[in-house]
């Protein structure tokens, strides 16, 4: 195999705790210098293939592996969850970590660091704390670390999924510029922007088989594969979710923010960094309405919904009612919050237990089987939440946070990593909760997600 090539032979992967393999008997060869777009439904095994080439399966990630996944040359892997890639306190040190371990000379390391940070549009400087970055900014930081390695093979797992369109275009240009003649495998759900820049499209089925493999032209001319966001396809119709699964169990609240500012404080052994994440926010979450917070990466969208949900205390202004003063059990009963990193909220050993956990603590009944069925997770009821794909974990986080039917629903990027069918399930649940009387707030870059009110944010300020 020439330098930069990658090959799967009889590749089969079954995560620990899963009955069936995610990928079974897969054979696939990527030639040196090829740019391949890897697509398929949520849970089809796309991330598993990248992890297999990186040597993480059966070692870092527990499970049963047979067959082989080989790559010739140095790889750079961008993880689906960028928070998993942060290794240092400061941005410069984080990006330098890979080149340092590769033995790159010191003077060259810092030129690579600066070039990579500039390439992905992170202009804070080397000393900026990584803990002060938004999810989208962490995604760009992780990519900068990969690009600084100058690998022979780029493995990119949804590199623009958490970014607004303008930032995504900047990041895509940085990737393409760095890729040059390097072998590149990109996993994405929203594929249209990538099609002009790849040589080949490989489509996986829901059970991890290759169902299509060819040029972009052949892919577009063929029958649209299941579970793929095809260019120009209409927005899927949201799934109809029964009201008894989503109707608020108590009287919904109206939550109002009046000139709210939030300052995030990060304390380390080397000092304290204060960041104004939200400034002058005035808005209202009303029962029976969906309010979408939009804006570029780092604008403060996640902090805004956290403040409205009582999860962070305003530095100035007021949130009514003062949810941050409520005791935990009372707050959990009233507010369902889904974080941007879904696995941060997992506490149970199985998917089914995760869905029922909050309901048990708040003394509410939940039809676990019906909830899992809506989100396409019924077959994973006995699986460990950490053995699911990224898209499956996100849907589980939504199910776990909302199954007890709170009156206030707050979701941070709920449709990231979803194929058309699972997107319809997420959108359907959100819409049904709103129609049943819940007050819904969503932080999102997804222009297709239905909303009644839009709050545009820029650099922490609402407009």
């Amino acid at each position: 195999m020439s330098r930069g090539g990658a090959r799967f032979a009889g590749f089969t992967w079954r995560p620990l705790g899963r009955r069936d393999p995610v990928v079974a008997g897969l054979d696939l060869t990527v030639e040196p210098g090829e740019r391949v777009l890897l697509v398929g439904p949520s849970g089809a095994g796309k991330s598993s293939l990248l992890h297999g080439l990186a040597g993480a399966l059966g070692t870092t990630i527990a499970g049963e592996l047979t067959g082989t996944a080989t790559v010739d040359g140095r790889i750079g892997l961008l993880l689906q969850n960028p928070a998993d890639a942060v290794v240092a306190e400061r941005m410069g040190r984080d990006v330098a970590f890979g080149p340092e371990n590769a033995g790159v000379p010191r003077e060259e390391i810092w030129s690579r660091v600066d070039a990579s940070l500039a390439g992905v549009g992170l202009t804070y400087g080397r000393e900026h704390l990584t803990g002060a970055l938004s999810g989208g900014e962490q995604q760009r930081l992780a990519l900068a670390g990969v690009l600084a390695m100058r690998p022979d093979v780029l493995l990119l797992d949804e590199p623009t999924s958490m970014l607004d369109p303008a930032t995504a275009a900047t990041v895509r240009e940085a990737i393409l510029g760095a890729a040059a003649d390097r072998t590149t495998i990109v996993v994405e759900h929203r594929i249209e922007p990538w099609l002009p820049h790849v040589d080949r499209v490989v489509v996986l089925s829901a059970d991890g088989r290759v169902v299509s493999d060819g040029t972009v032209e052949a892919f577009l001319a063929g029958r649209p594969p299941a579970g793929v966001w095809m260019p120009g396809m209409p927005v899927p119709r949201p799934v109809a979710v029964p009201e008894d699964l989503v109707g608020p169990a108590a009287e919904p609240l109206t939550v109002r923010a009046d000139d709210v500012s939030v300052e995030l404080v990060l304390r380390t052994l080397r000092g304290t960094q204060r960041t104004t994440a939200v400034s002058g926010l005035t808005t209202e979450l009303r029962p029976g309405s969906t309010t979408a917070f939009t804006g570029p990466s780092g604008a403060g969208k996640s902090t805004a919904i956290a403040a409205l949900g009582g999860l962070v205390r305003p530095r100035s202004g007021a949130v009514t009612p003062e949810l941050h003063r409520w005791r935990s059990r009372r707050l959990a009963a009233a507010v369902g919050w889904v974080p941007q990193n879904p696995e941060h909220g997992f506490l149970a050993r199985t998917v089914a237990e995760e869905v029922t956990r909050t309901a048990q603590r708040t003394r509410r009944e939940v039809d676990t089987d019906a909830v899992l069925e809506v989100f396409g997770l019924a077959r994973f009821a006995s699986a460990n939440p950490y053995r699911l794909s990224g898209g499956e974990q996100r849907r589980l986080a939504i199910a776990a946070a909302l199954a007890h039917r709170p009156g206030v629903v707050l979701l941070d990027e709920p449709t990231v990593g979803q194929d058309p069918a699972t997107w319809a399930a997420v959108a359907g649940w959100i819409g049904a909760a709103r129609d049943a009387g819940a007050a819904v707030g969503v932080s999102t870059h997804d222009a297709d997600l239905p909303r009644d009110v839009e709050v545009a944010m820029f650099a922490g300020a609402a407009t």
Side-chain angles (χ1 to χ4, degrees):
M1 182 166 53
S2 301
R3 188 167 182 80
R7 179 178 299 141
F8 298 92
F11 183 82
T12 300
W13 169 247
R14 184 179 65 83
L16 182 67
R18 295 276 289 266
R19 295 178 180 176
D20 301 315
V22 173
V23 180
L26 184 135
D27 297 309
L28 182 68
T29 298
V30 178
E31 300 296 337
E34 269 195 309
R35 292 182 179 179
V36 175
L37 182 60
L38 184 61
V39 303
S42 173
K46 303 180 295 294
S47 298
S48 294
L49 294 186
L50 300 191
H51 290 151
L53 290 175
L57 300 184
T59 54
T60 305
I61 304 173
E64 181 182 341
L65 174 65
T66 58
T68 60
T70 55
V71 61
D72 183 66
R74 187 171 60 248
I75 68 166
L77 171 63
L78 178 68
L79 298 171
Q80 189 176 43
N81 184 352
D84 292 342
V86 176
V87 297
E89 183 181 89
R90 309 279 173 170
M91 287 197 337
R93 296 295 306 169
D94 195 81
V95 176
F97 182 79
E100 285 177 338
N101 281 274
V104 175
R106 177 180 293 272
E107 61 276 9
E108 184 179 346
I109 287 175
W110 291 112
S111 66
R112 289 191 189 189
V113 167
D114 293 338
S116 298
L117 288 173
V120 301
L122 283 177
T123 58
Y124 296 126
R126 298 177 187 171
E127 295 303 307
H128 192 79
L129 291 174
T130 55
L133 299 176
S134 70
E137 290 168 337
Q138 285 183 344
Q139 192 171 35
R140 284 186 277 163
L141 177 68
L143 177 60
V146 170
L147 298 182
M149 286 289 293
R150 299 183 182 172
D152 302 299
V153 180
L154 280 168
L155 307 175
L156 307 174
D157 199 350
E158 300 203 44
T160 61
S161 62
M162 297 170 67
L163 305 177
D164 61 277
T167 305
T170 298
V171 167
R172 200 159 38 248
E173 290 174 6
I175 291 171
L176 295 170
D181 58 353
R182 294 179 172 87
T183 307
T184 305
I185 303 176
V186 180
V187 169
E188 280 282 18
H189 278 287
R190 299 296 183 128
I191 64 174
E192 187 168 4
W194 289 96
L195 292 176
H197 307 293
V198 298
D199 308 309
R200 179 179 169 194
V201 181
V202 176
V203 183
L204 299 182
S205 63
D207 58 356
R209 295 178 296 106
V210 175
V211 294
S212 176
D213 182 0
T215 64
V216 174
E217 292 74 18
F219 168 73
L220 293 175
R223 182 178 180 179
V228 177
W229 289 94
M230 296 297 290
M233 73 177 292
V235 178
R237 182 186 297 274
V239 169
V241 179
E243 183 176 343
D244 60 352
L245 291 183
V246 298
E251 184 177 352
L253 300 171
T254 295
V255 182
R256 178 169 179 81
D258 291 296
D259 196 25
V260 165
S261 294
V262 178
E263 184 179 70
L264 301 182
V265 181
L266 288 175
R267 294 183 174 87
T268 72
L269 294 175
R270 299 168 62 182
T272 298
Q273 180 167 308
R274 299 177 181 273
T275 304
T276 299
V278 172
S279 177
L281 175 66
T282 297
T283 192
E284 189 174 71
L285 303 184
R286 298 186 300 274
S289 180
T290 298
T291 300
F293 294 83
T294 64
S297 172
K301 304 181 297 296
S302 299
T303 305
I305 65 169
L308 286 164
L311 301 171
V312 296
R313 177 181 296 184
R315 180 188 64 188
S316 61
V319 175
T320 309
E322 293 184 297
L323 296 176
H324 69 272
R325 298 184 182 278
W326 288 20
R327 297 181 69 86
S328 297
R329 193 185 298 271
R330 182 187 180 195
L331 183 63
V335 178
W337 175 65
V338 181
Q340 194 171 70
N341 295 318
E343 74 281 6
H344 285 182
F346 294 157
L347 298 170
R349 293 183 178 181
T350 71
V351 166
E353 291 170 356
E354 194 66 54
V355 171
T356 60
R357 191 175 184 88
T358 300
Q360 290 172 346
R361 297 299 187 275
T362 55
R363 299 182 176 85
R364 291 178 182 169
E365 297 293 327
V366 57
D367 187 339
T368 305
D369 292 340
V371 171
L372 291 176
E373 191 65 37
V374 168
F375 287 106
L377 298 172
R379 63 194 178 104
F380 304 128
S382 61
N384 188 295
Y386 290 98
R387 305 308 175 200
L388 303 182
S389 74
E392 290 163 349
Q393 286 186 340
R394 193 167 297 272
R395 299 199 303 280
L396 174 59
I398 296 171
L402 306 183
H404 67 294
R405 296 175 291 122
V408 178
V409 172
L410 301 173
L411 308 106
D412 201 345
E413 299 287 2
T415 58
V416 166
Q418 304 308 315
D419 61 47
T422 59
W423 183 96
V426 172
W429 191 284
I430 295 171
R434 175 204 61 195
D435 293 343
V440 181
V442 183
S443 165
T444 185
H445 292 301
D446 187 347
D448 295 328
L449 194 63
R451 73 283 308 265
D452 303 295
V453 179
E454 184 164 309
V455 178
M457 303 190 70
F458 182 77
T463 59

